[in-house]
Amino acid sequence: MEQTQKQKMLAGDFYNAADAEIQADQAAARDWMERYNRQRGLTPEEQRQLLVERFGGVGDGAVIRPPFHCDYGYNIRVGHGVFMNFNCVILDVVGVDIGDMTQIGPGVQILTADHPRDPALRAQGLEFGRPIRIGRNVWIGAGALIMPGVTIGDDALIGAGSVVTRDVAAGVTVMGNPARPRSA
């Protein structure tokens, strides 16, 4: 039995984002973001309920300051006490897991979406995704870019403006473009 384009997307295989089911999911996410980003005067529990409505998982005490942008939302799981500052973007064509107590600065982009290196495949409108895993108690500085397929270990620190193209081991501080471990 042939997989749908959405099933291919969720599996990390090549898929066509112009597919009607995928477009409907993106439209639903846009509607949700419009509501989420205009919230004013909501209690912390009401804000959490908006996240629970769209995300794949939301730990207690998680805070995401609007404006916030994502592709789908349902592929995002944030742990207990996660804090994301203003203007963060998550392209979640596959899973994004953010561990407990992780803090994410303003303007950070977490990008699972990727594109074929072969120009003929790109011309067909094909895409694919690679999951991102961020451990617990990680600090990601303002404006950092977390690229497809990256895993960041517990207690790591990502310097502001860094472009993280490779896995970061637990407890390591990286910075720069591309991000590299900080020398002592």
Side-chain angles (χ1 to χ4, degrees):
M1 181 169 173
E2 181 150 341
Q3 290 184 312
T4 67
Q5 293 300 307
K6 181 176 178 177
Q7 289 170 327
K8 290 177 184 179
M9 176 185 84
L10 295 173
D13 297 333
F14 287 129
Y15 70 95
N16 188 321
D19 175 74
E21 181 180 20
I22 291 172
Q23 288 297 304
D25 283 356
Q26 287 181 347
R30 282 191 303 275
D31 290 345
W32 174 85
M33 282 181 286
E34 184 176 315
R35 286 187 299 120
Y36 188 81
N37 289 329
R38 70 173 177 219
Q39 62 173 296
R40 288 187 177 77
L42 296 181
T43 67
E45 183 54 32
E46 290 169 328
Q47 292 172 346
R48 183 178 187 285
Q49 285 308 311
L50 276 173
L51 292 173
V52 167
E53 179 184 313
R54 192 78 205 155
F55 282 17
V58 180
D60 290 336
V63 174
I64 299 177
R65 287 180 158 176
F68 169 77
H69 303 279
C70 63
D71 272 338
Y72 303 97
Y74 52 66
N75 290 318
I76 302 170
R77 287 168 294 288
V78 296
H80 161 77
V82 166
F83 176 80
M84 294 179 76
N85 215 324
F86 304 108
N87 256 350
C88 287
V89 173
I90 300 180
L91 300 185
D92 62 310
V93 302
V94 292
V96 173
D97 292 313
I98 301 173
D100 295 344
M101 303 307 293
T102 288
Q103 296 188 25
I104 300 175
V108 169
Q109 297 183 43
I110 299 170
L111 313 169
T112 67
D114 208 339
H115 300 275
R117 304 315 182 253
D118 179 339
L121 291 175
R122 281 196 312 273
Q124 295 174 41
L126 297 177
E127 303 176 3
F128 67 103
R130 294 187 285 149
I132 292 176
R133 307 281 181 253
I134 300 171
R136 67 180 324 278
N137 198 38
V138 172
W139 177 34
I140 302 176
L145 301 175
I146 313 301
M147 304 309 285
V150 166
T151 295
I152 299 173
D154 295 346
D155 302 314
L157 190 148
I158 311 301
S162 295
V163 179
V164 183
T165 60
R166 292 194 169 100
D167 291 352
V168 177
V172 172
T173 296
V174 298
M175 57 184 59
N177 180 7
R180 299 185 192 282
R182 185 178 99 194
S183 51

